[in-house]
Amino acid sequence: MRAGLAALAAALQLELAAALPSEALAERATAWLADLEGALGADHPSTLISRNNLAHAYQSAGDLGRAIPLHERTLADRERVLGADHPTTRTVRDNLRRVAARAAPRPRSAGDGAK
């Protein structure tokens, strides 16, 4: 029971930290995610959902350097646990594809000031 409450508290703290991105909160969110993984395991659905939500928070804040590795790890775990064709795995794959596209350098056109 205590482990369940501790895991719930860690999940709630992670969700709060993800909602308010800043450097200090990012560090705390990373620690809370590690606590959640320790309490529930890396493959637990709540852990995977929390990791994905944290990746989205970083993505929304423009911190693609933190978002992409979290999306990649979540995708690898979802593929291993659920299989490559599971609907949730496909959604995570699409999330990663979108954030990677945002991070990719865009070619400059003649009209944007490139010489």
Side-chain angles (χ1 to χ4, degrees):
M1 178 84 141
R2 290 181 96 184
L5 292 175
L8 178 60
L12 291 173
Q13 290 172 334
L14 180 62
E15 300 303 326
L16 285 173
L20 303 168
S22 74
E23 190 60 35
L25 286 176
E27 290 174 16
R28 289 180 72 184
T30 300
W32 288 327
L33 183 58
D35 289 346
L36 187 61
E37 289 176 351
L40 298 178
D43 295 339
H44 191 279
S46 294
T47 302
L48 294 171
I49 290 167
S50 294
R51 188 184 313 133
N52 191 65
N53 290 347
L54 181 58
H56 275 293
Y58 286 141
Q59 182 178 341
S60 295
D63 191 346
L64 304 183
R66 284 189 172 131
I68 290 172
L70 286 172
H71 280 302
E72 290 171 337
R73 184 170 171 212
T74 302
L75 176 59
D77 289 346
R78 290 286 188 184
E79 287 178 337
R80 183 175 37 76
V81 172
L82 299 174
D85 293 327
H86 190 278
T88 303
T89 304
R90 289 195 306 259
T91 299
V92 172
R93 188 178 301 113
D94 289 342
N95 292 342
L96 176 56
R97 190 175 298 127
R98 277 193 293 277
V99 71
R102 276 185 61 194
R106 296 197 169 113
R108 300 183 90 174
S109 68
D112 69 3
K115 294 185 180 183

